[in-house]
Amino acid sequence: MKKWILLGIIAIAFLLRVWNIGGVPASPDWDEAALGYNAYSILHTGKDEYGKFLPVVLRSFDDYKPALYTYLIIPLLPLLDLSVVAVRLPSVLLGTVTVFLTYILARILLKKDSLALLSAFLLAISPWHIQFSRIAFEANVALFFNVLMVVSLLLTRKKPWYIFISVIAAACAIYTYQSAKVFTPILFFIVIALYYKEFLQISKKYITAAVLVGLIVIAPMMFYIATNRQSLLRAQTTSVFYDTSNLADTTAKLAYDDAHHDVLGKIFDNRRVFYAQEVLLGYLSHYNLNWLFVTGDNPRHHAPNMGLLYLWELPFLLIGIYFLLYGPFERKSKLLILLWFLAAPVPASITTGVPHAVRTLNFLPTFQLFTACGLFFAYLRLSEWKITHYWRYGLVSLIAAFAAGNIIFYLDQYFVQLNYYYAKDWQYGYAQAMPIISANQDGYKHIVVTNKGPLDQSYMFFLFYLKYDPATYQAETKNASGGFAETHSFGKYEFRPFTIASENPTESTLFVGRPEDVVGGNILGKVSYPDGTDAIAVADKGTPHEQK
Amino acid sequence: MNKSILLISIVLLAFFLRFLHLGDVPPELNWDEVAWGYNAYSLSTDLRDEFGKFLPITYLESYGDFKPPVYAYLDIIPATLFGLTAFATRFPSAFFGSLTVLVSYFLVINLFPKSNRREWYGLATALFVAITPWHINLSRAAFEANVASFFIILGVTLFLYAMRKNPWLLALSAASFALTLYIFNTPRIVSPLLVLLLALSSYKELWNKKKQVVMALVVGLLITLPTVPFLLSPQASLRFREVNIFSDPDVVAISNQGIANDNNSYLSKAIHNRRVLYSLSYVKHYFDNFSPDFLFIHGDGNPKFSTQDVGELYIWDLPFFIAGIFLLAKRKEGKWWFVFLWLIAGIIPAATARETPHALRILTTLPTFHILIAYGFVTSAFFAKERIKQWRTVVTVTLVILLVNCLYYLHGYYTTYPYLYSGEWQAPYKESVAYVASVKDTYDQINITRKLGRPYMYYLFYTKEDPRIFRQTAIIARDPFGFVDVKGYDKYRFADDVFTIPTDSKKVLYVTQPGEVPETATIQKQFPLLNGQIGLVAFTVDQLPTKQATESAGKKR
């Protein structure tokens, strides 16, 4: 019976993650396109778009992100070709496995099958987890590895050879996602510190071997970090200390303190105090109820009118935290879940743009564990409550109806409304523009494409949809830079800002841009967003000699 | 240690923190404060408010808003004793704010009557209320919400005490609750809710005390009755209609689009009902009041309510607040559940408004946050006492950290806060009024900008204008929505653009913002903010500038 329920939950999880995976969200964003094309490039040439042989870190848009996800796409390419489905499928599959791992994790920690099934089910339908399991975001794969690491570390206590899985999973997490470099070691040491007595009893052979395996697996990354200073670039530019524009108040206060010889003021108004406040705020912002339940952050990180968790879960989350703290569970299990919950926002707290649903994806599945506890104990209490059956069933059906309504609302917001409202945020339009361009391009020597928002990094989408030969591309663009405002060119394509009115091409040129870029041109075709507004226009200058 | 000495010291500390430099920090009076002060003055002169209404009881008309009037009456004695000054205007708020600390102690004693730690809970609550930035900020300006909060806490305390000791005191509790309806808007929702909760919590005991209950009901109803017709009138809901979230037309558009995207399916009409989105919006505004930024880091975004670098509570409070929630829910002492329900109920009216979080409108929750913090702190301290030998050191060090938090806040409050935010407190008015009044006789007319907000009231307040003269000479325009616009009185004329005011004579003095001063003007005097920026300029012109010239002068800034 339990097995069938579990299978059912996993089936639901897989269905919710795979259904219409190529169509919702409506378009890959630039990072997804880049992951796909780099996989394609490595498959065919062994090198990434910048000509780097088997990269450990992808330079992609000068982000310098760990490259593991790209390698997960490669085996799917012969089967599915370079497509949105191929790019997103690793996340779908590992996201589904995370649901299964959550079941195992909950069973080990909470020792109750019903709680474990409930936790897995809640993760299966979690808006937060569905969101990132349906797109090629490395954070979701890193989450899988983190949960795998914890589960296998816990299993190591009984079967020592699991230690190898946990060490490799930890290393894989670090090869997958930037913030795992901070979070994975924290999580690893939380588990070790809690259960150190049991780990000390494992034979030294295993531990030595595991340390060795770990060192070997992580060596290339260490070597890369030691030899490449750019790898720290991304970490620097997203940190709160990098942005000095918000120091104006502090500067004004310090000037006042100086003028008034206020020694205490110089201490209190110190920049370090200000940064400490900002970091603290960054951390705490992830416990903002609105962010969690109502608004979310970036439109790419949630469905319209939805937060990251269901509103109906809130009371059970609170009840669940209470009962997890005071309930009949092992002390260490309680501590592990609680510390995991408290450590999850640490990597994100020193970055700008908080709260951030991707950098704190490692919150999962702690919210689900709490909520499962809440549901379980609320039901238990309710059945002990001295009220008539009518009241009891009435109350349960009321809550169930609210939860069901909430879930249906979410599914509609995600599968129907998301494409309508957030198509622009998903950089919609390239797939639809490609046929227009290829139908018209024959008469033109050049094709100029804008790289102004929302069409930034347009070159990558063209590489992706054209399946442009990676060897040719690498040869054409030696030493190209990946910065945000850079122009790119390959073949007869050129990617730079333009307005058609101020362009005077000597040779026939086709222009692809935003509606405002092609004003005054001869419009050959248009792509609209699902809400009917114009997304991309294809045009030429319209002078007589260019017309066919 | 003698606990009553501790309590007295805490209350004295509360008075000290609320009265120290009350007249000059915050630097000047905001427009609601001068209105309270002047109306008190007006009432003390001839028992009429600024517009001549005789002893207003149900509402005081102020800038087109219909405010509960009690604060003006409370201000009469201070205004008579100390004159029409900032100190006198703020006195009732600071006074009742300080007493709130005392009554909070007795509230806690009565919430946990059987706990042997009740005095410690009470002392800690009193201390935390005494030093909390939230309550200090709001006690140091003439905010009527602060007085309302005192009477709510008093009402709850009297109820609990009456149930335990002397049921006849129920009448006093009822009087206290009923009075809050005449003090501030949000209690009109919160007070009835709290009375209902209290009544439900002890309905069995109330049933046995019929005489006293009837007495309390009579007292409560008698006090409430005069305002009932007003509460049902459109004026009473004017403010609500201005600020509420349920009139957002976008919600209807989004709901309809959502249904269209679902091809008008039946189910879709249910889940995209506009009430769903309005509820969601309400929930959002409700949760805003629990935002960590608001509570613990920067406080209310409005610099009138917060210094912007400390939360409404201290960051020190956070761990004890969370501990308090769990410990109180676990230990279930006394009327533990009432603390939670009060906190939840106190935010209900504030969440219907667009501006959230809002320190003033959720002041009705006071002191529930502090009870939870105190509960968390005291319970942890006792826990330490049982487990750790050096528990005294641990507790002392913890309190020293709180002291550092407190000093950080107070230091900012008295130094950089007035310096940076004097503009928010309409700082240039006082000096400019003093100057204009001193040279008034040499001009035929004085044209004053309204862009800093409600100048006429500052002229009335700072020149202590006789209200009878104001009522005789005032030029008042009322629009059909009830908004009052004072266009001038005596020699003073007020408008957004000072050059549009008709001037028959030539001797006109202008007072406006620096960006609007024409190049041909002869500057008479400039009035800086505390940070040195010029806030207002008084000048004369030989020739009125044309419309274009004013605009170009404006653009240059």
Side-chain angles (χ1 to χ4, degrees):
Chain A
M1 179 65 186
K2 268 169 212 153
K3 209 189 274 174
W4 290 111
I5 295 176
L6 181 62
L7 270 175
I9 289 169
I10 292 170
I12 291 172
F14 182 66
L15 269 177
L16 286 174
R17 280 153 185 73
V18 82
W19 190 70
N20 199 5
I21 187 68
V24 185
S27 164
D29 77 345
W30 62 49
D31 285 325
E32 295 188 278
L35 287 173
Y37 187 72
N38 277 295
Y40 186 71
S41 183
I42 294 170
L43 175 67
H44 288 285
T45 66
K47 297 171 186 167
D48 75 356
E49 59 171 305
Y50 291 96
K52 176 114 180 145
F53 181 72
L54 293 183
V56 172
V57 165
L58 279 186
R59 183 173 158 189
S60 179
F61 310 134
D62 282 4
D63 260 0
Y64 296 96
K65 50 191 167 206
L68 186 79
Y69 195 101
T70 313
Y71 292 95
L72 296 177
I73 301 171
I74 295 175
L76 302 170
L77 289 177
L79 224 76
L80 295 163
D81 207 357
L82 181 53
S83 64
V84 181
V85 176
V87 174
R88 288 176 175 169
L89 205 55
S91 186
V92 171
L93 294 172
L94 294 178
T96 310
V97 181
T98 309
V99 172
F100 172 70
L101 286 176
T102 298
Y103 168 78
I104 306 280
L105 178 75
R107 215 178 53 171
I108 297 172
L109 291 177
L110 306 177
K111 305 228 183 315
K112 254 197 179 65
D113 260 322
S114 49
L115 275 175
L117 288 170
L118 213 48
S119 306
F121 175 69
L122 289 171
L123 191 68
I125 60 164
S126 156
W128 199 345
H129 196 239
I130 291 176
Q131 186 76 24
F132 296 105
S133 295
R134 289 181 57 92
I135 46 180
F137 271 28
E138 304 97 313
N140 188 49
V141 175
L143 171 68
F144 159 78
F145 284 123
N146 281 330
V147 179
L148 180 63
M149 172 187 82
V150 175
V151 168
S152 41
L153 268 179
L154 292 171
L155 290 173
T156 303
R157 296 173 300 162
K158 298 251 171 65
K159 295 189 180 127
W161 57 268
Y162 270 105
I163 198 165
F164 296 112
I165 299 184
S166 62
V167 169
I168 291 167
C172 285
I174 288 168
Y175 277 103
T176 309
Y177 188 49
Q178 205 71 283
S179 83
K181 282 176 195 160
V182 182
F183 186 72
T184 305
I186 294 178
L187 193 58
F188 190 86
F189 285 112
I190 288 175
V191 182
I192 298 287
L194 285 173
Y195 298 94
Y196 73 98
K197 279 185 189 148
E198 288 162 79
F199 284 114
L200 283 179
Q201 284 164 12
I202 300 168
S203 129
K204 295 280 175 297
K205 271 189 299 184
Y206 279 108
I207 293 181
T208 324
V211 170
L212 270 176
V213 169
L215 283 178
I216 291 165
V217 178
I218 207 70
M221 180 58 98
M222 288 303 174
F223 179 76
Y224 178 86
I225 293 172
T227 53
N228 288 271
R229 306 198 66 209
Q230 304 101 310
S231 63
L232 294 171
L233 190 80
R234 173 80 175 157
Q236 271 170 12
T237 52
T238 55
S239 100
V240 278
F241 313 112
Y242 187 78
D243 180 15
T244 50
S245 63
N246 45 16
L247 282 175
D249 260 12
T250 309
T251 314
K253 285 180 193 170
L254 281 173
Y256 175 93
D257 296 330
D258 263 339
H260 293 77
H261 306 290
D262 186 343
V263 183
L264 195 60
K266 280 188 185 168
I267 299 169
F268 282 155
D269 298 329
N270 193 294
R271 257 181 313 144
R272 283 163 199 87
V273 176
F274 172 79
Y275 281 130
Q277 282 179 333
E278 291 301 296
V279 170
L280 210 56
L281 177 61
Y283 178 83
L284 291 176
S285 67
H286 295 97
Y287 296 96
N288 187 330
L289 294 177
N290 268 329
W291 176 68
L292 288 169
F293 292 95
V294 187
T295 57
D297 47 87
N298 182 320
R300 280 203 302 261
H301 300 168
H302 66 101
N305 292 314
M306 278 293 300
L308 305 164
L309 305 168
Y310 292 110
L311 209 46
W312 71 265
E313 290 178 310
L314 175 59
F316 299 105
L317 173 68
L318 298 176
I319 297 171
I321 296 176
Y322 177 87
F323 278 106
L324 197 98
L325 285 178
Y326 295 116
F329 304 111
E330 277 177 21
R331 214 175 118 80
K332 286 174 183 171
S333 302
K334 293 177 179 181
L335 275 172
L336 173 56
I337 297 170
L338 200 66
L339 290 174
W340 185 338
F341 180 66
L342 293 176
V346 167
S349 58
I350 54 164
T351 63
T352 55
V354 286
H356 200 288
V358 192
R359 290 185 201 135
T360 55
L361 194 61
N362 287 310
F363 259 129
L364 304 179
T366 56
F367 277 109
Q368 285 69 28
L369 295 176
F370 287 131
T371 311
C373 278
L375 281 166
F376 181 81
F377 283 99
Y379 185 78
L380 219 61
R381 282 294 158 104
L382 187 68
S383 48
E384 292 165 0
W385 219 8
K386 285 179 196 126
I387 47 175
T388 63
H389 282 306
Y390 295 112
W391 279 104
R392 193 167 301 147
Y393 291 135
L395 205 59
V396 171
S397 359
L398 205 70
I399 293 167
F402 180 60
N406 203 179
I407 293 168
I408 292 170
F409 179 77
Y410 162 69
L411 292 176
D412 179 66
Q413 291 294 334
Y414 186 85
F415 286 103
V416 182
Q417 315 290 346
L418 182 127
N419 280 353
Y420 182 86
Y421 286 107
Y422 290 164
K424 194 187 239 172
D425 300 283
W426 282 99
Q427 293 159 301
Y428 176 87
Y430 291 105
Q432 292 72 13
M434 284 302 162
I436 303 175
I437 296 166
S438 55
N440 285 292
Q441 68 175 342
D442 287 347
Y444 300 93
K445 288 221 161 104
H446 297 284
I447 299 177
V448 175
V449 184
T450 190
N451 59 359
K452 297 271 261 186
L455 302 184
D456 359 31
Q457 308 292 17
S458 47
Y459 84 98
M460 183 45 76
F461 290 91
F462 277 74
L463 289 174
F464 181 84
Y465 284 113
L466 292 168
K467 299 183 188 122
Y468 196 78
D469 178 44
T472 320
Y473 177 74
Q474 285 163 32
E476 282 176 331
T477 59
K478 279 228 155 62
N479 305 321
S481 164
F484 244 68
E486 299 296 331
T487 61
H488 292 262
S489 59
F490 58 83
K492 57 177 172 178
Y493 296 92
E494 201 181 327
F495 301 86
R496 59 177 170 81
F498 73 87
T499 53
I500 211 162
S502 53
E503 294 284 331
N504 290 304
T506 49
E507 292 176 300
S508 61
T509 306
L510 186 69
F511 291 95
V512 181
R514 304 167 300 170
E516 62 263 40
D517 296 328
V518 298
V519 173
N522 171 36
I523 312 274
L524 301 166
K526 267 186 184 175
V527 176
S528 310
Y529 290 119
D531 67 2
T533 54
D534 289 339
I536 299 178
V538 181
D540 62 20
K541 279 294 274 187
T543 45
H545 84 272
E546 275 184 26
Q547 271 171 2
K548 287 174 279 182
Chain B
M1 208 183 311
N2 192 331
K3 283 168 192 160
S4 40
I5 289 179
L6 271 179
L7 178 63
I8 292 168
S9 336
I10 289 169
V11 174
L12 286 178
L13 175 70
F15 269 95
F16 176 74
L17 290 174
R18 279 154 186 77
F19 279 91
L20 180 69
H21 283 281
L22 182 62
D24 45 278
V25 184
E28 300 291 341
L29 295 160
N30 72 41
W31 56 61
D32 287 323
E33 297 187 273
V34 282
W36 285 127
Y38 189 72
N39 274 293
Y41 176 71
S42 177
L43 285 166
S44 69
T45 317
D46 61 355
L47 305 179
R48 287 170 191 279
D49 75 1
E50 59 175 292
F51 296 115
K53 189 166 192 277
F54 182 72
L55 286 183
I57 288 177
T58 51
Y59 67 84
L60 189 77
E61 192 176 0
S62 184
Y63 312 127
D65 190 10
F66 296 86
K67 291 199 280 196
V70 165
Y71 197 94
Y73 289 97
L74 293 176
D75 213 5
I76 290 176
I77 295 174
T80 316
L81 284 178
F82 309 112
L84 197 46
T85 59
F87 178 81
T89 307
R90 289 168 176 168
F91 187 91
S93 179
F95 181 74
F96 284 103
S98 308
L99 289 188
T100 300
V101 173
L102 182 65
V103 75
S104 295
Y105 170 82
F106 290 108
L107 168 73
V108 175
I109 296 288
N110 286 290
L111 275 173
F112 308 108
K114 289 186 187 133
S115 168
N116 48 15
R117 292 175 189 168
R118 62 181 182 276
E119 281 162 332
W120 288 116
Y121 297 148
L123 286 171
T125 306
L127 175 67
F128 296 156
V129 176
I131 62 172
T132 196
W134 186 8
H135 197 243
I136 293 179
N137 288 333
L138 299 184
S139 293
R140 295 183 54 96
F143 290 123
E144 67 274 26
N146 191 43
V147 180
S149 172
F150 168 81
F151 282 99
I152 291 178
I153 302 170
L154 184 66
V156 177
T157 309
L158 284 170
F159 181 95
L160 297 173
Y161 184 76
M163 294 314 290
R164 296 201 303 123
K165 305 274 166 144
N166 182 356
W168 287 107
L169 288 173
L170 278 179
L172 271 182
S173 168
S176 192
F177 277 119
L179 193 59
T180 61
L181 307 182
Y182 294 86
I183 306 178
F184 190 53
N185 292 321
T186 49
R188 290 173 178 171
I189 309 282
V190 179
S191 290
L193 273 177
L194 290 179
V195 171
L196 193 71
L197 282 175
L198 288 169
L200 283 178
S201 75
S202 33
Y203 68 99
K204 274 180 202 156
E205 294 132 83
L206 288 172
W207 190 250
N208 295 330
K209 295 172 178 132
K210 289 190 196 74
K211 254 190 270 173
Q212 292 90 339
V213 172
V214 170
M215 171 82 175
L217 279 177
V218 169
V219 170
L221 285 177
L222 273 182
I223 299 179
T224 312
L225 268 181
T227 195
V228 168
F230 169 71
L231 289 182
L232 300 173
S233 74
Q235 279 104 324
S237 56
L238 182 74
R239 187 86 181 127
F240 172 75
R241 271 178 282 143
E242 266 174 57
V243 299
N244 86 81
I245 54 170
F246 305 108
S247 48
D248 182 0
D250 285 354
V251 165
V252 180
I254 293 173
S255 299
N256 290 338
Q257 187 60 53
I259 296 171
N261 289 348
D262 288 339
N263 300 322
N264 298 304
S265 80
Y266 216 57
L267 184 63
S268 169
K269 280 175 189 161
I271 57 173
H272 293 299
N273 189 302
R274 67 198 147 85
R275 284 165 200 88
V276 172
L277 281 190
Y278 280 130
S279 313
L280 208 56
S281 167
Y282 181 81
V283 169
K284 179 187 175 296
H285 286 277
Y286 193 95
F287 286 170
D288 268 343
N289 294 293
F290 291 108
S291 125
D293 188 28
F294 168 70
L295 289 178
F296 300 106
I297 309 286
H298 291 124
D300 196 300
N302 184 341
K304 272 182 211 161
F305 304 145
S306 145
T307 60
Q308 308 297 306
D309 59 359
V310 186
E312 296 303 325
L313 308 168
Y314 293 113
I315 188 66
W316 182 92
D317 295 338
L318 174 60
F320 297 110
F321 177 60
I322 292 168
I325 294 173
F326 285 106
L327 290 168
L328 189 57
K330 173 71 180 160
R331 295 162 59 99
K332 299 186 174 52
E333 280 196 276
K335 287 205 181 316
W336 63 278
W337 48 269
F338 185 70
V339 178
F340 291 109
L341 290 180
W342 183 350
L343 202 162
I344 291 166
I347 299 174
I348 286 174
T352 60
R354 260 176 254 143
E355 303 158 305
T356 48
H358 201 292
L360 200 60
R361 294 197 193 122
I362 66 160
L363 198 61
T364 40
T365 60
L366 204 80
T368 52
F369 282 94
H370 304 86
I371 294 175
L372 291 170
I373 297 163
Y375 199 88
F377 175 70
V378 172
T379 313
S380 309
F382 273 97
F383 185 79
K385 191 181 173 184
E386 285 155 17
R387 305 267 176 128
I388 311 170
K389 232 183 197 170
Q390 303 85 353
W391 67 276
R392 279 172 204 278
T393 325
V394 174
V395 173
T396 312
V397 169
T398 315
L399 285 174
V400 167
I401 297 170
L402 173 62
L403 183 68
V404 173
N405 265 219
C406 193
L407 283 179
Y408 176 80
Y409 157 68
L410 288 174
H411 176 270
Y413 188 83
Y414 281 99
T415 61
T416 50
Y417 172 62
Y419 174 76
L420 287 177
Y421 295 106
S422 64
E424 298 286 335
W425 293 90
Q426 279 74 32
Y429 270 138
K430 184 179 185 182
E431 220 187 309
S432 75
V433 174
Y435 168 78
V436 170
S438 72
V439 299
K440 182 181 150 196
D441 293 340
T442 55
Y443 296 96
D444 299 319
Q445 187 173 319
I446 298 142
N447 293 353
I448 298 147
T449 183
R450 269 196 324 207
K451 285 197 178 144
L452 266 58
R454 284 105 195 214
Y456 85 93
M457 191 48 90
Y458 286 88
Y459 279 84
L460 291 175
F461 184 93
Y462 285 124
T463 62
K464 298 191 178 65
E465 186 66 73
D466 188 323
R468 282 162 293 204
I469 293 181
F470 169 68
R471 286 178 219 131
Q472 277 161 20
T473 60
I475 310 163
I476 297 172
R478 279 169 196 277
D479 72 8
F481 300 106
F483 287 103
V484 195
D485 185 9
V486 175
K487 290 185 179 297
Y489 76 91
D490 196 3
K491 284 183 183 176
Y492 308 110
R493 295 291 175 272
F494 310 100
D496 286 340
D497 180 353
V498 289
F499 301 110
T500 59
I501 301 168
T503 49
D504 304 329
S505 64
K506 269 205 159 176
K507 289 219 75 173
V508 178
L509 179 68
Y510 292 90
V511 182
T512 188
Q513 289 176 308
E516 297 166 349
V517 180
E519 279 166 25
T520 54
T522 317
I523 297 197
Q524 302 295 329
K525 198 163 175 128
Q526 295 187 321
F527 309 100
L529 302 173
L530 291 192
N531 62 5
Q533 242 179 344
I534 302 298
L536 282 173
V537 182
F539 59 91
T540 52
V541 279
D542 297 330
Q543 205 183 350
L544 259 184
T546 58
K547 185 92 184 151
Q548 283 163 334
T550 357
E551 270 169 17
S552 71
K555 264 176 206 153
K556 255 179 214 161
R557 292 294 301 186

